[in-house]
Amino acid sequence: MNNYKKEILNKICYTELVYGRINKKLNLELSKDRIEKLISEILSKTDESEFQKKGKNIYITNNERNIRLTINSFTNRIITADKLKEKTTNR
């Protein structure tokens, strides 16, 4: 099994456009530094079993924060961050 977590934590990179995309998709207004800190915290606190490679991307699902990160597996560049759908219970 590949250790995606360690490699991503060591090599993650960002584009100028991704900062705006993350703020928009997560409905935030954070500075670049705060976004990088947030992403780093999510990566650090997410269990390795939640790092799943599909095609060229690695998807990191953090249910505690209700966020899924998408990272390019070749460049370790973050592509986007998405809010997970809220689970509804029928009663």
Side-chain angles (χ1 to χ4, degrees), residues 5 8-9 12 39-46 51 69:
K5 182 174 182 172
I8 290 169
L9 280 168
I12 190 165
I39 299 301
S40 179
E41 287 174 3
I42 291 169
L43 291 170
S44 296
K45 294 180 180 180
T46 303
F51 286 62
L69 304 176

Side-chain angles (χ1 to χ4, degrees), residues 31-68:
S31 67
K32 292 177 184 179
D33 289 340
R34 293 286 301 143
I35 289 173
E36 290 179 18
K37 184 176 180 186
L38 173 69
I39 299 301
S40 179
E41 287 174 3
I42 291 169
L43 291 170
S44 296
K45 294 180 180 180
T46 303
D47 188 81
E48 177 78 25
S49 65
E50 297 296 332
F51 286 62
Q52 299 190 342
K53 185 172 189 232
K54 294 180 185 173
K56 68 176 185 173
N57 295 329
I58 298 172
Y59 299 91
I60 297 104
T61 304
N62 184 297
N63 291 310
E64 186 177 311
R65 290 192 182 230
N66 213 32
I67 291 175
R68 183 184 71 193

Side-chain angles (χ1 to χ4, degrees), residues 8-31:
I8 290 169
L9 280 168
N10 288 331
K11 297 182 180 179
I12 190 165
C13 61
Y14 301 81
T15 63
E16 282 299 315
L17 291 174
V18 82
Y19 296 109
R21 185 180 305 133
I22 289 170
N23 272 329
K24 182 178 179 182
K25 288 210 161 189
L26 299 181
N27 198 23
L28 300 170
E29 292 184 23
L30 300 176
S31 67

